[in-house]
Amino acid sequence: MRLAKYLAQAGIASRRQAEEIIRMGRVKLNGSIVTELATVVDSKIDHIELDGKIVGAEQQVYILLNKPPGYISAVNDPWGRPTVLELAGDIKERIYPVGRLDYDTEGLLLLTNDGQFTNLMIHPRYNIDKKYEACVRGSIKDNELKRLRDGVDLEDGMTAPAGIRLISRDDRASIIELLIHEGRKRQVKRMCGAVGHSVISLKRVAFAFLTLEGVEIGEYRNLQKAEVRRLQDIALHEL
Ligand code: URA
């Protein structure tokens, strides 16, 4: 298999990022730096290193994290903010978040080292349901709930119809549940903003059939094999 594919399958990076890493001269094959993208490797006989560390065929890991606010959904942060990886520090495989939750958003976030799984979960074509609970400023009106349900006009286009449920409202704040399958950047905050309500706090409470049940804030659990398979099935059946 080509070297970039091998690195991607080992959970190092996407195929494209892996090619960049090879071009930068960070990869050694049997002790010599290789920058040629067409290099073909055999995982059974070749010895591959990235930045001096052996790249093996890692076991695939799938984690469900209950992210607290105040953590960035990235592998590292140029500003030195805590990353979600620090909450799974005892996992030795090179995991990374599946999509992202904003720094101040809490709730269900998956982490894995399986690039193909990540693509299935975040690709807009596959339509995985995500459920959020948002606390917004002010008392949200019925017609505003309807607008959220029908779709609102954002700068990157109309949002798809969404499942919207009012949980509570008073003069100061309202709590609503939003079921969406798109995964645009800051989508929930922008949707709420579009109907005149800024978000005070946001939590993702479900991803497909997965919930936070049994996972305390800041804690994680491994997904069961059957759960991983079911997620893959859901994505592929949406095609
Ligand atoms: N929508 C947002 O606005 N923020 C998130 O973190 C997730 C969804």
Side-chain angles (χ1 to χ4, degrees):
M1 111 178 35
R2 281 168 81 111
L3 182 55
K5 182 172 178 189
Y6 178 83
L7 295 174
Q9 282 197 353
I12 302 299
S14 69
R15 185 90 73 93
R16 179 125 356 121
Q17 288 163 342
E19 287 178 352
E20 192 50 39
I21 288 171
I22 296 167
R23 271 199 218 96
M24 288 162 80
R26 291 169 57 191
V27 180
K28 273 188 187 167
L29 174 62
N30 302 325
S32 311
I33 292 176
V34 277
T35 52
E36 179 50 62
L37 293 183
T39 306
V40 171
V41 297
D42 182 339
S43 58
K44 288 199 199 79
I45 43 181
D46 287 322
H47 180 89
I48 296 140
E49 286 171 55
L50 167 64
D51 298 334
K53 283 196 195 140
I54 299 168
V55 182
E58 284 189 336
Q59 209 187 326
Q60 289 178 324
V61 184
Y62 307 88
I63 281 165
L64 183 162
L65 171 74
N66 188 348
K67 175 194 177 296
Y71 284 81
I72 180 134
S73 302
V75 173
N76 48 48
D77 181 49
W79 291 281
R81 291 174 294 183
T83 73
V84 289
L85 288 194
E86 292 168 32
L87 299 165
D90 49 348
I91 302 284
K92 58 182 186 334
E93 287 83 4
R94 293 173 209 245
I95 52 170
Y96 52 85
V98 177
R100 47 169 295 180
L101 291 178
D102 295 337
Y103 181 68
D104 55 354
T105 298
E106 62 178 277
L108 200 161
L109 182 68
L110 299 181
L111 299 148
T112 187
N113 57 352
D114 180 343
Q116 273 177 348
F117 175 82
T118 302
N119 287 342
L120 273 182
M121 293 306 114
I122 65 174
H123 199 291
R125 193 160 25 120
Y126 301 120
N127 287 339
I128 302 259
D129 281 339
K130 276 120 351 203
K131 196 186 280 178
Y132 294 88
E133 211 173 275
C135 176
V136 302
R137 236 172 267 290
S139 178
I140 194 159
K141 297 185 196 68
D142 289 346
N143 71 310
E144 292 162 344
L145 293 169
K146 181 174 182 328
R147 283 176 60 203
L148 287 174
R149 228 167 253 137
D150 294 346
V152 289
D153 200 6
L154 302 180
E155 59 194 17
D156 48 358
M158 289 294 288
T159 58
I164 305 290
R165 194 168 69 84
L166 178 67
I167 297 176
S168 68
R169 68 182 157 201
D170 63 28
D171 290 347
R172 283 175 305 137
S174 313
I175 300 178
I176 54 173
E177 186 183 88
L178 304 93
L179 182 67
I180 61 174
H181 59 255
E182 298 171 289
R184 303 192 213 168
K185 207 167 176 205
R186 300 185 64 250
Q187 180 162 347
V188 172
K189 290 178 186 164
R190 291 192 293 137
M191 284 171 72
C192 295
V195 297
H197 297 274
S198 58
V199 169
I200 301 168
S201 65
L202 182 61
K203 179 174 183 175
R204 180 150 74 191
V205 294
F207 185 93
F209 58 88
L210 295 170
T211 68
L212 291 166
E213 199 189 326
V215 186
E216 297 295 317
I217 192 155
E219 304 281 315
Y220 70 86
R221 72 170 176 88
N222 286 285
L223 292 186
Q224 295 157 9
K225 279 205 178 84
E227 291 175 319
V228 174
R229 259 197 308 272
R230 202 170 146 199
L231 287 170
Q232 289 164 330
D233 283 349
I234 289 172
L236 293 168
H237 281 116
E238 291 288 341
L239 274 176

